[in-house]
């Protein structure tokens, strides 16, 4: 297997400039979207079919009444146990050798199953193309030894592209620095859903940053649900159907000209 | 998830698919266990099955971003994708249920002996074979509609292992209701309707237990999701539409019907018709509420 590639996002260095959003739109030829004020400076308020990355703004009320702004770049996490790949019925969502998860736009027919399956809300349906779309880690740039557009553009150097193992090592170092500075720092993405290609260095809890604390692959409950269906099918075949319809009551024969008598109904 | 990705059309699809397959397997099971005494149910169930499924699948296709590329589903099989499993279950059901319906149609008075339908005349073997395949496929399809929602990241759908079971049992109740309506419309033997009503009462009791189990589990594992249904914006539809209209009232009506001697001798179709309509409305609302409450 090829080296697993990924992005390290150090939220402690993010200034919320949204340069990554613009770079993503430009490189991927994605149109601007008209948005309305949603009560926060974050814009647009969610990942969309033509907005594959955005900076999430969190307003954290401090004890002194001050508000602290927290910024987190969001996009596809490129999960090892990718829910979109697991639920895709047309074979469009796949995981490349280097760990990048892509949705083949020619194969996607827009059933939106991956959109509702993604634990990170990172896939969205684009009505313009009729397909589900998301970050694809600029694989054509990566193939040509260039970092993804967002990483290339990030002014404060909050984004780093590279081999996942090296990123994890760098993340570990940064977390100990932040911890030494008294922050509630942690790595996110090391083990979550099998390990994600996109790794965060967080300086507050995942929950505060709007990340699921225990993300599960969408297919985690599959076996339990199918077992329930099988048990239910068995029980119902026995309880109402076998019980009621195989009894020897003469309910039909009581009324002449009905039931099995094919000629009598008219 | 803060956006409606799967709209009301998907609720219609989940509902139609459930009623269709359930009417089919109800008929087949009744016929099977009674050694042919309820053959008519198998016929009506067969007539309901594929057309209802077709309407449902049409909804599913219309909701696709690229409806005309739907065939891509048929070039692929992904066992971890409930959608993919469902596509193949539906396809298998449409083939077996369709052939089964043809064997019945061929024996109708208008069919005659020649033409395409003539091929399917007097084919008890084919009928039996397609019924025996279509019945388990139908049961799995009914469950699949719930499992489909369960294999997502929505807390309401994925936090319990009971959604597939609930949809299966609810579909069975709506399928039986659809058969009762057909029998009432055709003015068929009242005793058969009574029999179905009894079966349905049992299924509803089963459904109430599973629904309670699901909500209790949800209350522990995802209390916010449970609150959306029980106390939030969907609570009115839940309590009035699903619980009262779709479960409790039909159950009371069916129980009353069962134990009332007077009604047994009379041929008043109103009571089973009212119960059936309520069950169908409740069954649709169940899917509608769960679909939308899961996307809040």
């Amino acid at each position: 297997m090829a080296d697993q590639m990924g992005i390290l996002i150090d939220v402690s260095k993010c200034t919320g400039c949204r340069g990554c959003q613009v770079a993503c739109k430009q490189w991927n030829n994605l149109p601007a979207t008209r948005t309305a004020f949603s009560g926060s400076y974050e814009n647009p308020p969610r990942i969309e079919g033509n907005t594959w990355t955005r900076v999430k703004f969190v307003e954290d009320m401090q004890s002194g009444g001050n508000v602290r702004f927290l910024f987190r770049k969001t996009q596809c996490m490129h999960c090892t146990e990718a829910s979109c790949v697991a639920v895709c019925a047309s074979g469009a969502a796949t995981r490349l050798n280097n760990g990048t998860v892509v949705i083949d736009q020619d194969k996607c027919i827009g059933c939106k199953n991956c959109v509702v399956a993604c634990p990170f809300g990172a896939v969205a349906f684009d009505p313009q193309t009729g397909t589900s779309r998301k970050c694809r880690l600029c694989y054509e740039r990566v193939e040509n030894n260039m970092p993804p557009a967002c990483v290339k553009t990030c002014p404060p150097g909050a984004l780093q592209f590279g081999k996942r193992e090296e990123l994890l090592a760098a993340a570990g170092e940064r977390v100990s620095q932040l911890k030494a500075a008294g922050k509630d720092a942690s790595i996110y993405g090391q083990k979550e859903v099998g390990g994600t290609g996109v790794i965060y260095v967080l300086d507050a809890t995942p929950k505060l940053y709007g990340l699921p604390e225990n993300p599960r692959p969408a297919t985690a409950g599959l076996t339990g649900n199918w077992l329930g269906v099988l048990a239910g099918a068995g029980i119902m075949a026995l309880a109402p159907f076998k019980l009621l319809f195989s009894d020897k009551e003469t309910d039909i024969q009581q009324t002449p000209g009905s039931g099995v008598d094919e000629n009598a109904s008219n | 998830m803060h956006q409606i990705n799967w709209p009301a059309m998907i609720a219609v699809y989940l509902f139609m698919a459930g009623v269709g397959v359930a009417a089919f397997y109800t008929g087949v099971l009744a016929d099977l266990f009674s050694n042919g005494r309820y053959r008519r149910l198998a016929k009506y169930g067969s007539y309901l099955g594929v057309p209802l499924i077709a309407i449902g699948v049409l909804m599913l296709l219309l909701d696709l971003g690229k409806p005309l590329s739907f065939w891509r589903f048929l070039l692929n099989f992904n066992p971890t994708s409930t959608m993919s499993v469902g596509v193949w279950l539906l396809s298998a059901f449409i083939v077996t249920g369709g052939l089964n319906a043809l064997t019945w149609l061929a024996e109708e008075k208008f069919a005659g002996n020649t033409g395409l339908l003539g091929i399917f005349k007097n084919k008890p073997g084919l009928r039996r074979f397609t019924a025996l395949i279509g019945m388990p496929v139908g049961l799995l399809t009914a469950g699949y509609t719930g499992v489909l929602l369960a294999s997502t990241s929505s807390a309401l759908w994925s936090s319990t292992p009971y959604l597939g079971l609930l949809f299966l049992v609810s579909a069975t109740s709506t399928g039986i209701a659809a058969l009762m309506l057909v029998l009432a419309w055709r003015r068929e033997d009242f005793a058969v309707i009574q029999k179905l009503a009894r079966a349905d009462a049992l299924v509803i009791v089963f459904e109430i237990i599973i629904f309670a189990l699901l909500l209790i589990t949800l209350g522990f594992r995802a209390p916010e999701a449970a609150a959306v249904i029980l106390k939030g914006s969907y609570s009115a539809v839940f309590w009035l539409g699903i619980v009262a209209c779709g479960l409790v009232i039909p159950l009371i009506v069916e129980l009353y019907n069962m134990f009332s001697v007077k009604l047994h001798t009379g041929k008043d179709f109103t009571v089973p018709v009212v119960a059936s309509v309520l069950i169908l409305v409740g069954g649709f609302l169940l899917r509608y509420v769960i679909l939308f409450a899961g996307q809040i």
Side-chain angles (χ1 to χ4, degrees), chain A residues 75 96 131 172:
Chain A
Q75 71 291 298
L96 306 179
T131 53

Side-chain angles (χ1 to χ4, degrees), chain B residues 28-254:
Chain B
V28 171
L29 285 170
D31 182 33
L32 206 65
F33 288 131
S34 69
N35 285 321
R37 277 189 297 146
Y38 295 93
R39 185 133 296 164
R40 240 144 218 280
L41 292 181
K43 181 169 92 170
Y44 292 142
S46 187
Y47 286 168
L48 285 174
V50 171
L52 289 177
I53 292 280
I55 297 172
V57 169
L58 186 70
M59 297 292 148
L60 180 68
L61 293 188
L62 288 178
D63 182 59
L64 289 177
K66 297 193 221 163
L68 295 177
S69 303
F70 76 93
W71 48 267
R72 287 205 174 270
F73 273 166
L74 300 172
L75 295 183
N76 193 53
F77 175 67
N78 179 358
T80 60
S81 164
T82 313
M83 181 82 85
S84 186
V85 171
V87 163
W88 287 105
L89 284 173
L90 285 166
S91 306
F93 183 81
I94 288 173
V95 172
T96 51
L99 287 173
N100 188 268
L102 287 175
T103 68
W104 291 110
L105 268 179
E107 287 169 19
E108 295 285 355
K109 287 201 179 68
F110 63 81
N113 280 321
T114 51
L116 272 178
L117 267 182
I119 303 170
F120 295 97
K121 200 163 181 142
N122 294 320
K123 291 272 193 298
L126 179 66
R127 176 181 294 165
R128 196 174 165 79
F129 176 73
T130 50
L132 287 179
I133 302 285
M135 182 261 290
V137 167
L139 281 161
L140 289 175
T141 307
Y144 135 81
T145 55
V147 183
L148 175 69
L149 297 187
S151 47
T152 62
S153 68
S154 162
L156 176 65
W157 301 341
S158 63
S159 299
T160 76
Y162 303 116
L163 203 63
L165 180 57
L166 176 70
F167 274 49
L168 167 69
V169 176
S170 162
T172 308
S173 178
T174 57
I176 295 175
L179 277 177
M180 285 200 281
L181 278 183
V182 173
L183 290 178
W185 169 57
R186 305 275 298 169
R187 300 266 142 190
E188 297 261 349
D189 187 3
F190 199 68
V192 183
I193 296 189
Q194 296 283 57
K195 194 74 149 181
L196 281 175
R198 256 199 257 178
D200 190 55
L202 264 172
V203 174
I204 290 183
V205 171
F206 201 22
E207 188 179 346
I208 291 174
I209 295 170
I210 293 162
F211 214 153
L213 207 60
L214 185 147
L215 289 170
I216 293 166
T217 317
L218 199 63
F220 282 110
R221 295 190 189 164
E224 286 167 14
V228 174
I229 294 187
L230 296 174
K231 288 177 262 178
S233 41
Y234 290 99
S235 58
V237 193
F238 172 73
W239 291 110
L240 293 176
I242 299 172
V243 176
C245 195
L247 295 169
V248 176
I249 297 176
L251 180 63
I252 292 172
V253 167
E254 280 165 354

Side-chain angles (χ1 to χ4, degrees), chain A residues 209-223:
Chain A
Y209 271 105
L211 282 162
E213 278 167 296
N214 292 302
R216 295 187 329 154
T219 44
L222 213 52
T223 318

Side-chain angles (χ1 to χ4, degrees), chain A residues 1-195:
Chain A
M1 204 178 213
D3 281 326
Q4 302 294 290
M5 304 303 281
I7 296 179
L8 175 61
I9 303 176
D10 185 346
V11 298
S12 69
K13 290 181 182 168
C14 179
T15 59
C17 76
R18 289 184 287 227
C20 50
Q21 287 183 213
V22 177
C24 176
K25 289 239 175 196
Q26 287 204 320
W27 180 259
N28 292 301
N29 259 326
L30 299 170
T33 39
R34 194 172 286 277
T35 53
F37 182 60
S38 63
S40 161
Y41 285 119
E42 70 174 17
N43 187 34
R46 63 176 70 92
I47 294 277
E48 293 162 335
N50 53 28
T51 304
W52 299 345
T53 188
R54 69 179 194 102
V55 179
K56 183 177 173 60
F57 285 43
V58 178
E59 288 162 46
D60 179 28
M61 192 68 91
Q62 305 288 96
S63 49
N66 294 327
V67 173
R68 182 169 65 132
F69 253 132
L70 304 178
F71 306 118
R72 177 172 69 88
K73 178 190 187 293
T74 70
Q75 71 291 298
C76 170
M77 297 290 284
H78 299 279
C79 314
T80 302
E81 292 166 18
S83 297
C84 52
V85 177
V87 303
C88 183
S90 71
T94 49
R95 197 159 175 273
L96 306 179
N97 267 340
N98 69 356
T100 302
V101 177
V102 296
I103 298 175
D104 185 332
Q105 294 297 299
D106 289 332
K107 286 186 181 168
C108 176
I109 64 175
C111 75
K112 288 160 278 195
N113 201 341
C114 53
V115 179
V116 291
C118 176
F120 300 102
V123 196
F125 178 72
D126 188 345
Q128 239 76 50
T129 58
T131 53
S132 298
R133 305 173 82 186
K134 65 169 197 68
C135 160
R136 50 205 182 79
L137 217 65
C138 290
Y139 58 80
E140 72 289 352
R141 288 178 62 95
V142 170
E143 266 173 27
N144 290 289
N145 297 316
M146 287 188 285
C150 55
V151 177
K152 177 81 179 169
T153 210
C154 180
L159 306 180
Q160 193 183 329
F161 179 75
K163 291 177 189 165
R164 187 168 182 272
E165 280 183 16
E166 292 172 13
L167 296 179
L168 278 173
E173 250 172 69
R174 181 64 182 158
V175 163
S176 30
Q177 277 176 9
L178 288 168
K179 275 189 174 158
K183 303 271 188 185
D184 185 9
S186 62
I187 302 179
Y188 188 93
Q190 185 161 20
K191 294 202 181 73
E192 282 79 4
V193 278

